[in-house]
Amino acid sequence: MTLLSIAYFGLCAALLALATWRIRRADPEATVTALFDRLLDDRAVRIAVIVVWWWLGWHFLAGATL
């Protein structure tokens, strides 16, 4: 189970790095804030961010109290 979680986290990190690299290549003068603004323009990315935060909160914050 731990290995699966590490693999999932690694995949998400790699996809975020790939998306950032593609945006950065298109506009090399972009700031970090501009990169996140462009990433979050897509509805699918916003939903993915919400799901990741929910998953982290459920497993690490609420898990010990339930």
Side-chain angles (χ1 to χ4, degrees):
M1 186 68 166
T2 303
L3 184 61
L4 183 63
S5 295
I6 291 170
Y8 179 72
F9 179 76
L11 177 66
C12 290
L15 290 175
L16 179 62
L18 177 67
T20 303
W21 175 73
R22 289 188 69 212
I23 292 171
R24 190 82 167 148
R25 191 178 69 174
D27 185 10
E29 299 297 321
T31 63
V32 173
T33 304
L35 291 174
F36 279 115
D37 285 343
R38 285 189 189 171
L39 282 172
L40 294 175
D41 278 343
D42 188 13
R43 183 176 183 207
V45 174
R46 286 193 309 257
I47 292 171
V49 168
I50 290 171
V51 168
V52 167
W53 277 113
W54 172 81
W55 184 86
L56 286 171
W58 181 260
H59 285 85
F60 294 108
L61 300 176
T65 60
L66 294 177

